[in-house]
Amino acid sequence: MASAAAPTAQTGDFARARRAMIDSQLRTSGINEPYLLDAIARVPREDFVPASARAVAYNDRQIPLGGGRVMTAPLSQARLLLEAKPAQTDKVLLIGGGSGYLAAILAPLVASLDVVESDDALAAMASVKAGDWHSGDLAAGWKKGAPFDLIIIDGAAEQIPAAIAKQMAEDGRMVTGTVTRGVTRIAVGRRVDKSVVLDDVADISMPVLADFAAPKGWSF
């Protein structure tokens, strides 16, 4: 995408839409942590969506990004970060970088950020990328950077591969979307031995990631 434009009436409209999103979607849903709202307020979401979707960038909806990928709705992404509780000492892996929006919010809040994205076209959408970006299979995570204190998956997974669980530090955390019989949720977890144990937090709209599809006959 092009670099940020000079201030115009339109950029003013986006700023008002960003504030309205925070006040009417996030705060009313229990997301009130100042550090998180400040981080979200600094990132122009309209710069991370296709040009045709800029006018609805702040609506409470998922946005198609092309190639079968979908941008998670603002409230769902904010809830991921709320449950993640990112800290300035955290070494973080974000799986499913999309167009870079969540990475741009997250990067200033943590010590380091690695981002995995399987679609090179999506990874190229943002003019300035936050974090260290890697192209590869989402379900493989990023073994070279492990172990991670925190792993965030921006989307709903039917299963978490053992390869990703092994990339968590011994006391590492995970926040991800899950999907069971078509119902998507946010879940948080910790590494236990060589796997991750997840606890559902809340039903919430999340795009389902085909990369994490379970074998036929398997259930979460």
Side-chain angles (χ1 to χ4, degrees):
M1 289 185 177
S3 58
T8 65
Q10 187 180 45
T11 57
D13 291 342
F14 283 130
R16 285 189 289 274
R18 192 176 314 128
R19 176 49 56 188
M21 176 194 74
I22 290 171
D23 292 340
S24 65
Q25 295 180 40
L26 307 190
R27 288 187 182 278
T28 58
S29 299
I31 299 173
N32 291 297
E33 285 68 8
Y35 82 92
L36 181 53
L37 295 180
D38 289 346
I40 292 171
R42 288 193 294 267
V43 179
R45 186 176 170 90
E46 69 273 12
D47 287 349
F48 295 87
V49 301
S52 59
R54 284 170 65 85
V56 296
Y58 293 98
N59 289 10
D60 186 22
R61 55 177 282 187
Q62 299 177 11
I63 295 177
L65 295 173
R69 293 293 297 280
V70 178
M71 186 175 187
T72 307
L75 175 58
S76 300
Q77 289 186 312
R79 187 65 186 268
L80 278 174
L81 295 178
L82 178 70
E83 300 299 338
K85 299 178 175 62
Q88 288 289 340
T89 55
D90 280 338
K91 182 179 180 181
V92 181
L93 173 64
L94 173 60
I95 297 176
S99 59
Y101 175 70
L102 195 61
I105 296 173
L106 183 59
L109 304 177
V110 299
S112 67
L113 175 63
D114 283 281
V115 185
V116 175
E117 177 49 60
S118 59
D119 189 318
D120 291 337
L122 288 182
M125 284 185 71
S127 58
V128 178
K129 300 186 188 70
D132 293 323
W133 283 65
H134 315 286
S135 178
D137 178 6
L138 299 187
W142 187 245
K143 184 177 180 180
K144 291 181 180 179
F148 295 98
D149 303 305
L150 171 63
I151 295 179
I152 299 175
I153 301 176
D154 188 7
E158 284 190 319
Q159 65 170 355
I160 304 299
I164 291 180
K166 292 176 183 177
Q167 293 169 24
M168 300 171 67
E170 289 297 331
D171 58 348
R173 300 114 60 206
M174 176 178 287
V175 181
T176 180
T178 64
V179 56
T180 305
R181 293 184 289 276
V183 178
T184 58
R185 302 177 174 91
I186 284 182
V188 298
R190 295 271 183 178
R191 176 175 171 172
V192 178
D193 294 326
K194 295 182 180 180
S195 62
V196 58
V197 176
L198 294 172
D199 292 317
D200 290 332
V201 173
D203 292 3
I204 199 165
S205 175
M206 297 283 289
V208 178
L209 295 173
D211 310 68
F212 293 93
K216 189 174 181 181
W218 187 94
S219 62
F220 212 102

